[in-house]
Amino acid sequence: MTSTDLSDRAAPAHVDPTPIPSNGPGSSALTRRPHDDELLAARLVPLRCKGQWIAAAAVVVLFTMLVNTLVTNKRFQWDVVGHYFLREQILKGLWLTLWLTAATMICGYVLGIALAAMRLSRNAILRTLSFGYVWLVRSVPPLVQLLFWYELASLYPRVSVGIPFGSEFVTVRTAHLFTGILAAFVGLTLDVAAFSAEIVRGGILAVDHGQSEAAQALGLGRGRIFRRIVLPQAMPAIIPASGNLLIGMLKATAIVSVIAVQDLLYSVQLVYQQNYLIMPLLMVATIWYIILTTVLSIGQYFVERHYARGRGNSARRGFWDVTRGNIPLFGRSRRELAGLS
Amino acid sequence: MTALRPRAATATASRAADDALVRVRGLQKSFGTHRVLHGIDLDVREGEVAVLLGPSGSGKSTLLRCINHLEKPDAGFVEVADEVVGYHLSGGRLHELRPKAITRQRARIGMVFQQFNLFPHMTVLENIVEGPVASGVARRVATEEASRLLDQVGLGGRGKSYPRQMSGGQQQRVAIARALAMHPQLLLFDEPTSALDPELVGDVLAVMQDLAESGMTMIVVTHEIGFAREVADTVVFLDGGRIIESGSPGTVLSNPTHERAKAFLSAVL
């Protein structure tokens, strides 16, 4: 520490009119003042905000009230919740929710990436097709789409494969083709495709054009440039929005209960329609949705960290550092992390 | 400058008596209504270092980018090693090549950018081996070669770093190593030192000078007059999309005849 630093810090406490010494290389004699040792030994105390503590107290009180009502209100009937939580029919519904979400997301994203590539292509027909698709699907509520596919038989009683306006090779009755589960899968996949196309397109546009030029100059082919250079760099922009879409879709699958597909929600509905224990059974479904969402959020963290490669150290913080950093009132660690981010 | 002659029937045909590696003829390019290049004629011999000088907006970068078909010309053509870049002649017309064929041509033309354009999600070593691996070189072989190239540009042992962990000068040297990994016949430099802090420029220019001395054919857009004077064989001065002066550095830099060249040089020197 130089003498100027010290005298600056101590200045308000002093009336001693010692001139501030020059800080040049030749100033060998540092000034000394009586407080110096005490100042150097003193521990530094950061500023504490009173408002923060008041807010914290309020949050703690509200949180305690919430826990209190969950525990003391007998009408939640936690014993019933516990009784049904791991029942086979509930777990079956849970399993359907899980795989329906996974299948619609995977197929939807494959379609969505293709739609995004079409939208960014030089071919005007592909661009228009992609735009039209996204416009149409985003305009129709998913519930309406679901009902539409489910009721397709009333519009087209038979579906056949053949030459357009010519002879037909294979004919299937639509009512046999579109069971509830297939209607759910198709409706939700088409919905995911439209939304993911926009997410992927946004991510691709966020990648600096110089990157694909550099790859072209290296003699990489177009497919390889998209796969190896552009898409990995688009990922940091794509993943948060995709995580959002995934979690949204996990819960949106609940709408399939209207076409009698036995997902998590429909499973609990079947139970409470018999025993009228509506709230406890809704709590069963709610807790399962919370658990799944939590797992997905953690997964999203690890995927985001993977794609943060080469972006400096702040993106490489450990899981618990990030978690603690996001939960307020963790005092020191939070401030330290804030400096890093 | 040589007279126009019919293009060799195949790419492997022996080169004509002149040793021009790059031949630009009648090259025109517009962006919208703005004409950037007004018919450029240029020859660069094998092993020659050509420096393109000129005020900003004079078309230097566009000319460079036309040479590896990052920009498509509106008229005229570019020939590199007896092959028209981006097109093939048939029935008296130049048909644009399929992307695959252009990719193959570009593999022989290295390019170094002002903003480096390293791939930030890949380590330095991965950046360098990406091109060779894509063109079919075994990853192990490419990696060994990459380490050697890193030594050559003075960055031995930095292969595991990510580009953002390096200074601009180091990144640009990695970009040069990346271009060299493809064993290009020709290297294009688009203002390679313009985005660097002044104290980092020297390292990059030193690497470029080594390359020039090793016989690499180079076309360099730069504002480093010192580099042009010491390293260039030919200095080409562009203004308003035309070549207004070209010749040895001694002639063009010391005794420019054109008014615009005189004004530009007195401003930058």
Side-chain angles (χ1 to χ4, degrees), chain A residues 122 208-222 224 228-230 232-233 307 309-313 316, chain B residues 65 68 70 72 99 103 106-107 109-111 113 117-122 127 130-131 133-134 139 162 164 178-179 182:
Chain A
R122 273 180 290 179
D208 179 20
H209 187 59
Q211 289 288 309
S212 53
E213 282 192 344
Q216 284 178 42
L218 271 182
L220 303 193
R222 284 192 304 178
R224 194 179 173 98
R228 295 266 311 163
I229 309 299
V230 175
Q233 293 187 62
Y307 282 107
R309 278 177 300 171
R311 295 202 160 209
N313 293 325
R316 282 255 164 203
Chain B
R65 293 160 60 84
N68 70 351
L70 282 178
K72 293 177 199 174
T103 297
R106 283 194 183 120
I109 307 171
M111 184 152 181
F113 297 83
N117 289 347
L118 293 177
F119 307 131
H121 60 302
M122 297 179 175
N127 263 280
E130 181 66 23
V133 168
R139 186 168 286 273
Y162 281 95
R164 288 204 180 102
R178 182 175 72 173
M182 295 300 288

Side-chain angles (χ1 to χ4, degrees), chain A:
Chain A
M1 197 171 271
T2 64
S3 55
T4 30
D5 284 337
L6 259 186
S7 49
D8 279 351
R9 264 181 63 197
H14 277 271
V15 277
D16 185 357
T18 316
I20 296 171
S22 80
N23 199 20
S27 65
S28 53
L30 298 174
T31 57
R32 274 196 57 81
R33 292 180 186 181
H35 291 72
D36 288 358
D37 290 331
E38 200 183 337
L39 285 170
L40 284 171
R43 197 169 142 259
L44 297 172
V45 182
L47 179 70
R48 300 258 183 214
C49 297
K50 257 187 204 160
Q52 202 174 336
W53 288 106
I54 295 167
V59 170
V60 168
V61 169
L62 288 172
F63 185 73
T64 315
M65 284 167 71
L66 176 69
V67 173
N68 183 51
T69 182
L70 284 176
V71 172
T72 56
N73 189 340
K74 295 277 183 273
R75 277 173 251 180
F76 276 108
Q77 292 178 277
W78 292 108
D79 52 325
V80 179
V81 173
H83 181 257
Y84 282 103
F85 195 67
L86 292 172
R87 271 297 150 92
E88 199 191 344
Q89 53 192 136
I90 306 294
L91 291 185
K92 266 188 180 163
L94 177 72
W95 174 241
L96 187 133
T97 291
L98 277 176
W99 79 249
L100 185 62
T101 307
T104 52
M105 283 302 283
I106 292 167
C107 298
Y109 259 80
V110 170
L111 262 175
I113 290 171
L115 283 165
M118 282 165 67
R119 183 76 189 277
L120 296 169
S121 98
R122 273 180 290 179
N123 184 326
I125 296 169
L126 292 181
R127 274 205 313 269
T128 313
L129 264 178
S130 171
F131 174 83
Y133 175 87
V134 171
W135 165 78
L136 182 67
V137 172
R138 284 205 304 193
S139 309
V140 182
L143 181 55
V144 176
Q145 278 184 62
L146 221 60
L147 292 171
F148 174 84
W149 290 108
Y150 191 55
E151 305 291 347
L152 194 67
S154 63
L155 205 54
Y156 300 100
R158 296 179 315 122
V159 175
S160 51
V161 179
I163 301 163
F165 307 109
S167 58
E168 298 168 354
F169 303 140
V170 187
T171 304
V172 186
R173 278 190 50 206
T174 314
H176 293 162
L177 196 64
F178 274 90
T179 56
I181 189 73
L182 187 62
F185 170 72
V186 170
L188 293 175
T189 298
L190 295 182
D191 197 56
V192 171
F195 283 93
S196 63
E198 286 299 283
I199 291 172
V200 172
R201 186 175 70 95
I204 290 170
L205 289 178
V207 178
D208 179 20
H209 187 59
Q211 289 288 309
S212 53
E213 282 192 344
Q216 284 178 42
L218 271 182
L220 303 193
R222 284 192 304 178
R224 194 179 173 98
I225 292 174
F226 186 71
R227 251 188 4 261
R228 295 266 311 163
I229 309 299
V230 175
L231 205 53
Q233 293 187 62
M235 279 308 205
I238 291 174
I239 288 167
S242 297
N244 225 8
L245 186 63
L246 172 60
I247 288 167
M249 191 45 59
L250 176 78
K251 293 179 295 177
T253 53
I255 64 170
V256 303
S257 57
V258 299
I259 54 173
V261 173
Q262 211 171 330
D263 73 321
L264 181 57
L265 180 62
Y266 197 61
S267 302
V268 305
Q269 284 177 335
L270 286 180
V271 177
Y272 73 57
Q273 277 159 11
Q274 285 170 8
N275 62 15
Y276 301 104
L277 297 168
I278 297 175
M279 264 305 162
L281 278 152
L282 282 180
M283 288 310 290
V284 169
T286 305
I287 292 170
W288 271 120
Y289 282 121
I290 289 175
I291 291 172
L292 294 179
T293 305
T294 308
V295 170
L296 289 178
S297 304
I298 293 172
Q300 182 181 350
Y301 159 78
F302 283 105
V303 177
E304 270 178 33
R305 196 178 65 161
H306 174 74
Y307 282 107
R309 278 177 300 171
R311 295 202 160 209
N313 293 325
S314 62
R316 282 255 164 203
R317 280 149 50 187
F319 178 69
W320 289 112
D321 289 341
V322 174
T323 309
R324 275 161 36 133
N326 280 315
I327 298 174
L329 303 172
F330 268 73
R332 231 187 70 214
S333 67
R334 190 182 66 92
R335 254 190 296 279
E336 280 170 8
L337 287 167
L340 270 173
S341 58

